[in-house]
Amino acid sequence: WRMAASLTAEALDAEAAFLPVQPVEERTTGDIPEGMVRSWFVVPDRLVVVQMPGSALSRLLADARRTESPDASIPPGGLRLAAGGVGKGETIHGVPIDSRSSYRVALTERVLAQSEQFPALKQAGTPDPGPLLEDSVVAGLREGASEPWSVERYRTLFSGAPTRESGLWRINFRDL
């Protein structure tokens, strides 16, 4: 699900993405047909993009990391989250999350509705609706299948890292 979150962040031009982790029952090797991937999305869920302060993004990322543990206590009706677009050391665009900055974050409507489980979501701005999660992930996988990915590329995406280098520029106006 981290790879799906990274693909979602890229597709929606978001700096990070948080997706609900859904159980996948199939065990397979080799190519995975699109129909099998689509079967993993048992609940229709629409993507949304919100603006979120860095302080809230940091808390949501910490909550997502906590829910990744198989021993994590998930409340009834709660979700496990997968984070994508986040680099090593919990960075966005290669720099630590700035609590005073605002970030463009992709979520699903189901995730956004979990503000009791994830209080940082209460600071999310007005949601801008996007495509269905299933369609967005399948499109990202289809695009990636147009040319073979190396094992290292898959390893990076499975970690939830950004799909490509960022074009972020940090400018200190004092120095101009």
Side-chain angles (χ1 to χ4, degrees):
W1 290 109
R2 288 186 206 144
M3 182 168 85
S6 291
L7 292 171
T8 297
E10 179 177 358
L12 297 180
D13 292 323
E15 296 165 293
F18 296 89
L19 302 181
V21 173
Q22 303 178 76
V24 175
E25 302 298 325
E26 289 91 4
R27 300 235 186 258
T28 186
T29 58
D31 293 341
I32 299 174
E34 182 177 323
M36 182 182 290
V37 172
R38 287 191 181 275
S39 74
W40 299 339
F41 298 90
V42 293
V43 176
D45 203 359
R46 183 159 303 279
L47 290 164
V48 297
V49 177
V50 298
Q51 290 293 324
M52 183 175 277
S55 57
L57 175 59
S58 290
R59 287 193 312 275
L60 184 58
L61 182 57
D63 285 343
R65 297 294 190 228
R66 181 187 46 76
T67 68
E68 288 177 348
S69 168
D71 299 330
S73 174
I74 307 297
L79 298 175
R80 290 186 189 278
L81 294 182
V86 181
K88 289 182 180 177
E90 314 295 40
T91 59
I92 303 288
H93 303 300
V95 295
I97 296 170
D98 181 351
S99 64
R100 296 164 295 152
S101 293
S102 180
Y103 293 86
R104 186 173 160 89
V105 179
L107 312 158
T108 69
E109 290 175 336
R110 281 180 53 217
V111 171
L112 192 56
Q114 293 292 325
S115 61
E116 291 304 313
Q117 182 183 359
F118 305 110
L121 292 171
K122 293 176 183 172
Q123 291 186 268
T126 304
D128 182 19
L132 288 174
L133 173 60
E134 173 183 340
D135 294 339
S136 180
V137 171
V138 167
L141 290 171
R142 193 179 294 132
E143 183 179 318
S146 63
E147 59 183 67
W149 286 347
S150 68
V151 171
E152 187 54 39
R153 171 91 166 130
Y154 277 109
R155 187 174 289 123
T156 300
L157 289 174
F158 285 149
S159 76
T163 57
R164 59 185 160 80
E165 288 295 318
S166 165
L168 175 76
W169 290 48
R170 185 166 278 244
I171 299 172
N172 188 337
F173 287 100
R174 283 189 325 234
D175 297 336
L176 294 179

